[in-house]
Amino acid sequence: MTLGESVKSPPAPRELQASPPPAPRRSSKLAWAKLLLAPLLGLSVAAHLLLLFTPLPSRPEPEVEEEAAEEEFVDLLSISSLATPEPEPEPDLPTPAPAETAPAPAAVAPSAPSQPIVPEVSPDTSAPATPLDAPLPPEPAFETPPEQPAAFVQEEEVVDIFTRLTRGAGDSDFDSTATSFPAIAYLTPHGIREWSAAEQACFFTQIDDNDYRLQPKAASLRYLTRNVQFIESQDIPRTFPAPEFAVSTVAGGYCNRPLYQVLRNGQPYLFVSVAGVGVGAVGQQASGVVIIWSSDPRVG
């Protein structure tokens, strides 16, 4: 290299070369965008604030209830005026084939009217049902013995029996029936008037101080003014002597009074009741009524 030549520096590398300044066009666009966005942002904020402070209108009440009430209300007077829906036509069914006509039966002459048959109704013999709270019937005063052959005594035999009964030792007559019965026997202390109604009904269908009626099975009676103890122990055995007669005391008696059964030649003959009347202990009263029964008074 010569001295006269100008010294040239080597060219700088491309990385070290200064870049040209940015174009001014981009900065102007950003400025214009800022100018446009600023008023829009202010308007947006102002609009939001206005919406926040603006009162909301009240919601109208639903009209569902009124519509439901209108649907439920039905004018009953106008129901009859509603048009009745016409029934739907039935589908055409196949017509069945006509059945063969049976021959008419021969005419039968009318028969005479018969009486209606009324079925026989047997009466209801069953015993009525007893209610649970019904009182029990009173127990009978004696036990019903097994049924025995009915005894029978003739009227003339009764007269003979009482003739033997009323005469004791020395042919004394104790029979006071004609003069003292029923008045004295009924009105005397501890007399028949003081018997209970059930006891009177055992021997009489009716009795007072003027008249009396015996039970149907009773043949007759005698009123003896003699101690009952002697009537039972002496007069009854003497009236029916052995061996033709046999006298036995019936256990339990009849209506709380002694009862005797008399057999004649081993067969039932009659029954005898002895009922004390008047003062004295039981079985020792001053007088007594003797009743002859043609059959057992306890049966039936």
Side-chain angles (χ1 to χ4, degrees), residues 162-206:
F162 281 133
T163 300
R164 297 194 305 269
L165 176 68
T166 57
R167 294 188 178 276
D171 294 333
S172 299
D173 194 347
F174 304 107
D175 188 1
S176 301
T177 307
T179 58
S180 303
F181 197 85
I184 302 301
Y186 187 82
L187 298 174
T188 188
H190 305 289
I192 299 175
R193 180 180 59 179
E194 299 182 17
W195 294 2
S196 66
E199 291 175 328
Q200 294 181 13
C202 289
F203 304 97
F204 307 95
T205 59
Q206 183 273 329

Side-chain angles (χ1 to χ4, degrees), residues 88-273:
E88 297 181 359
E90 298 181 356
D92 295 337
L93 299 177
T95 305
E100 296 182 359
T101 305
V108 180
S111 59
S114 58
Q115 296 292 335
I117 300 175
V118 180
E120 296 182 359
V121 180
S122 58
D124 186 8
T125 57
S126 60
T130 303
L132 297 178
D133 56 350
L136 297 176
E139 296 183 358
F142 55 87
E143 296 182 358
T144 303
E147 187 174 355
Q148 299 177 355
F152 181 76
V153 58
Q154 301 291 336
E155 291 183 5
E156 57 270 16
E157 293 178 301
V158 175
V159 176
D160 183 58
I161 291 170
F162 281 133
T163 300
R164 297 194 305 269
L165 176 68
T166 57
R167 294 188 178 276
D171 294 333
S172 299
D173 194 347
F174 304 107
D175 188 1
S176 301
T177 307
T179 58
S180 303
F181 197 85
I184 302 301
Y186 187 82
L187 298 174
T188 188
H190 305 289
I192 299 175
R193 180 180 59 179
E194 299 182 17
W195 294 2
S196 66
E199 291 175 328
Q200 294 181 13
C202 289
F203 304 97
F204 307 95
T205 59
Q206 183 273 329
I207 187 170
D208 53 29
D209 57 341
N210 293 319
D211 193 14
Y212 71 95
R213 284 190 292 274
L214 289 170
Q215 287 289 348
K217 290 185 178 182
S220 186
L221 67 75
R222 289 296 183 270
Y223 174 58
L224 306 182
T225 53
R226 178 171 167 81
N227 190 284
V228 173
Q229 185 177 6
F230 294 122
I231 295 175
E232 296 176 359
S233 61
Q234 298 178 9
D235 297 341
I236 297 296
R238 187 186 67 249
T239 303
F240 304 99
E244 181 182 4
F245 300 98
V247 181
S248 61
T249 303
V250 177
Y254 174 64
C255 288
N256 300 323
R257 279 26 177 218
L259 180 67
Y260 302 92
Q261 183 178 13
V262 180
L263 303 179
R264 187 176 187 179
N265 298 324
Q267 299 297 321
Y269 183 51
L270 52 81
F271 290 82
V272 180
S273 286

